[in-house]
Amino acid sequence: QVQLQESGPGLVKPSQTLSLTCTVSGYSITSGGYYWGWIRQRPGKGLQWIGNIYYRGSTFYTPSLKSRVTMFVDTPKNQFSLKLSSVTAADTAVYYCARVDGSGSYYFDHWGQGTLVTVSS
Amino acid sequence: SYELTQPPSVSVSPGQTASITCSGDKLGDKYVCWYQQKPGQSPVLVIYQDDKRPSGIPERFSGSNSGNTATLTISGTQAMDEADYFCQAWDSSTEGAIFGGGTKLTVL
């Protein structure tokens, strides 16, 4: 049973860097066949894809956030992480990590429970 | 940039069939998937690659995709199906995932 769990600060000050980690259990991220992704949902709004990463390091980022996003993988810990720099109140959202189909369809088949990150001074 | 358009809301009576559409330019050339999200919960994949159901998803959920429109169909809709539904596709030109704005399904 694949499970994902987000962790990180729930409160970040404006202009600082948001850092989240997703711990994967029940599946080794180095097994291949899947990407690992981040999606966010602003309060009361829809889903916004942030980016995907493969365990070997290749990444895809959404154009609107590309200049501020970094994703990386920690294979020994079976984790992957998200950094979003220069945050503003507009980055307040529930952040989800998910496993991503790697066959070319790129659907998200397993999701974490999500973590609310509030940007406020 | 590529966009997916969904109706904001759809209503259906219990036991009837609900259809939720997702529109985009030449969407039929892409694979579409659908997620169900209930209040306070994470999204759940209910349809992938246009018409495939993941393990554990009831047979009443089905999908289709042709031309410019993908459709999620829920047959014999139950009260437990009341939720927000999001379509999603991969835009190969920008190498990015695109979500529709979401549709609130009300069962009344």
Side-chain angles (χ1 to χ4, degrees):
Chain A
Q1 172 93 4
V2 181
Q3 293 185 317
L4 299 96
Q5 178 69 59
E6 305 88 351
S7 59
L11 180 64
V12 181
K13 289 182 167 52
S15 80
Q16 293 190 343
T17 296
L18 177 159
S19 297
L20 295 174
T21 295
C22 183
T23 301
V24 180
S25 58
Y27 189 87
S28 172
I29 61 176
T30 60
S31 294
Y34 294 94
Y35 281 75
W36 304 90
W38 290 95
I39 305 98
R40 72 181 185 181
Q41 187 170 32
R42 294 187 177 103
K45 302 298 184 182
L47 301 169
Q48 180 186 20
W49 174 71
I50 299 171
N52 295 344
I53 186 167
Y54 196 60
Y55 78 95
R56 290 179 178 167
S58 58
T59 55
F60 300 105
Y61 297 144
T62 192
S64 63
L65 297 175
K66 190 172 185 176
S67 63
R68 299 194 290 130
V69 170
T70 304
M71 294 176 63
F72 55 95
V73 174
D74 186 339
T75 52
K77 294 184 178 180
N78 216 40
Q79 296 175 334
F80 62 102
S81 297
L82 167 72
K83 289 189 181 296
L84 180 66
S85 64
S86 304
V87 298
T88 69
D91 296 309
T92 293
V94 174
Y95 286 76
Y96 296 100
C97 60
R99 192 177 77 166
V100 190
D101 160 73
S103 69
S105 304
Y106 299 107
Y107 54 86
F108 304 93
D109 67 351
H110 288 83
W111 295 63
Q113 67 183 30
T115 187
L116 174 62
V117 179
T118 301
V119 179
S120 175
S121 55
Chain B
S1 62
Y2 195 83
E3 294 185 355
L4 295 176
T5 300
Q6 298 181 236
S9 63
V10 169
S11 297
V12 64
S13 299
Q16 299 304 301
T17 296
S19 295
I20 299 173
T21 58
C22 175
S23 300
D25 185 48
K26 299 180 181 178
L27 185 57
D29 293 344
K30 307 179 189 300
Y31 274 132
V32 173
C33 62
W34 293 89
Y35 303 93
Q36 175 194 69
Q37 186 180 34
K38 296 181 179 179
Q41 298 184 18
S42 304
V44 173
L45 180 70
V46 295
I47 293 289
Y48 68 99
Q49 291 179 353
D50 295 341
D51 57 8
K52 297 179 175 59
R53 275 180 296 104
S55 172
I57 300 302
E59 290 184 8
R60 64 179 181 274
F61 288 87
S62 62
S64 63
N65 183 21
S66 180
N68 295 323
T69 304
T71 303
L72 172 69
T73 302
I74 309 172
S75 304
T77 307
Q78 301 181 10
M80 68 171 65
D81 300 327
E82 189 163 282
D84 292 327
Y85 291 85
F86 297 90
C87 61
Q88 181 240 312
W90 181 263
D91 182 13
S92 56
S93 66
T94 58
E95 295 189 315
I98 307 295
F99 285 96
T103 298
K104 182 177 181 60
L105 177 68
T106 300
V107 182
L108 41 68

